[in-house]
Amino acid sequence: MQLRNIAIIAHVDHGKTTLVDQLLRQSGAFRDNQRVAERVMDSNDLEKERGITILAKATSVVWKDTRINIVDTPGHADFGGEVERILNMVDGAIVLVDAAEGPMPQTKFVVAKALKIGLKPIVAINKVDKPDARTTEVINEVFDLFAALDATDEQLDFPILYGSGKQGWMGTSPEADQSAGMAPLFDLVLKHVAQPTVEPGPFRMLATILEANPYLGRVLTGRISSGTLKPNMAIKALSRDGTVIEQGRVSKVLAFRGIERQPVEEAEAGDIVAIAGLTQGTVADTFAALEVTEPLQAQPIDPPTVSMTF
Ligand code: GDP
């Protein structure tokens, strides 16, 4: 299956939750999830149920046979380089801006990092239905922001969508055909964002987000850069200088499906997954097949932040 990995960048209240909810609904993800939930309930396997219904900070939708992983970027002040690490997993970003408020501190903070690592964002002006929307001015403010942050010509040439997450549509102008729903946004993501780069070779993944999960133990999320990963595989964690931190067996591979994470039997290079089973590997370590000796290049980071999932 084709893949796209994107981040959504937005100031609090600019409508990220509402937008993602619409993306899920319009791609049919909720229907799929409901079926999955029913199967889980049937199995009456409490442990399995708990493993499956963990809330994730990422979402995935399928559009025209392409899986789009959408990762959330924390908008709060970023200790420990978490925003950079997350942005390094994706190939594109949607900068969502309230049509009345314009770019705000959190927008600027994360956009600065996104531009610096070379992402070419899509700008989505949201809430154009508001009576106090000042759409044209806000576009200019976004352009000025990008320019002030030393955006390249290519980054300044950002595609723009306008719409209302609340009304469930995005289009290429504020007067666009609302009945198209979110299709213009999905199509633009497929067109504007690259398929993740995949390297040849055995399984390797840069661990990006660490969480202490009450049921699964230590869980590390990252993008697989090469090879495939399966549950029960023997892997190792390599620190940035190539030291072997530990060897162990993968107990679960979780992929993002709709609003949930689900255990999968196989995950492929390019996908963003969470791995359980190792006990010491951490953020910026490389998780890899046993024959791998060279770690992946990690961004310099401060000590990781541990996040609980509920
Ligand atoms: P988040 O903090 O970015 O996740 O924002 P939410 O999705 O929670 O939305 C914040 C508020 O804005 C809520 O009251 C939403 O109902 C409202 N909102 C979201 N999208 C729109 C929109 O397109 N138009 C209008 N008028 N309000 C919206």
Side-chain angles (χ1 to χ4, degrees), residues 7 13 35 49-50 54 61 78 81 92 99 102 121-122 142 176 178 184 192 199 204-205 238 268 272 276 279 294 306:
D13 274 350
R35 277 201 296 275
E49 180 191 333
R50 284 171 173 167
I54 307 154
V61 299
D78 173 44
I122 292 166
V142 173
Q178 300 185 9
H192 187 73
E199 290 159 37
R204 284 180 304 164
M205 179 190 104
L238 287 168
E268 300 204 335
I272 296 172
T279 56
E294 286 289 314
V306 178

Side-chain angles (χ1 to χ4, degrees), residues 11-18 126-127 129-130 164-166:
H11 190 76
V12 62
D13 274 350
H14 281 199
K16 186 159 60 178
T17 310
T18 308
N126 194 27
K127 307 197 190 185
D129 60 294
K130 277 170 106 176
S164 165
K166 199 160 150 186

Side-chain angles (χ1 to χ4, degrees), residues 242-254:
T243 310
V244 179
I245 305 294
E246 66 173 318
Q247 275 187 209
R249 237 166 238 290
V250 176
S251 62
K252 266 203 169 80
V253 180
L254 302 161

Side-chain angles (χ1 to χ4, degrees), residues 25 28-42 257-260 262:
R25 282 174 197 285
F30 279 155
R31 284 195 298 277
D32 284 340
N33 275 347
Q34 275 157 13
R35 277 201 296 275
V36 170
E38 280 160 20
R39 273 208 304 273
V40 173
M41 292 311 172
D42 285 349
R257 298 287 180 265
I259 48 167
E260 295 170 336
Q262 290 172 15

Side-chain angles (χ1 to χ4, degrees), residues 143-281:
F143 186 87
D144 291 347
L145 169 67
F146 276 41
L149 294 169
D150 293 327
T152 62
D153 287 350
E154 236 185 332
Q155 287 172 326
L156 279 173
D157 195 21
F158 49 79
I160 308 170
L161 291 174
Y162 307 81
S164 165
K166 199 160 150 186
Q167 296 174 340
W169 64 277
M170 281 278 161
T172 49
S173 88
E175 293 81 33
D177 173 17
Q178 300 185 9
S179 68
M182 291 292 170
L185 187 152
F186 286 127
D187 289 338
L188 186 58
V189 167
L190 266 46
K191 187 172 142 234
H192 187 73
V193 181
Q195 167 88 3
T197 319
V198 169
E199 290 159 37
F203 165 70
R204 284 180 304 164
M205 179 190 104
L206 188 64
T208 299
I209 305 167
L210 168 68
E211 97 206 25
N213 184 280
Y215 305 107
L216 301 170
R218 203 174 176 85
V219 173
L220 281 135
T221 299
R223 171 159 79 169
I224 303 175
S225 40
S226 61
T228 53
L229 176 66
K230 296 177 180 180
N232 291 320
M233 236 171 85
I235 61 168
K236 63 181 176 189
L238 287 168
S239 70
R240 274 176 288 172
D241 63 9
T243 310
V244 179
I245 305 294
E246 66 173 318
Q247 275 187 209
R249 237 166 238 290
V250 176
S251 62
K252 266 203 169 80
V253 180
L254 302 161
F256 297 96
R257 298 287 180 265
I259 48 167
E260 295 170 336
R261 283 196 311 207
Q262 290 172 15
V264 292
E265 289 308 314
E266 183 169 304
E268 300 204 335
D271 208 354
I272 296 172
V273 295
I275 302 180
L278 269 68
T279 56
Q280 286 156 69

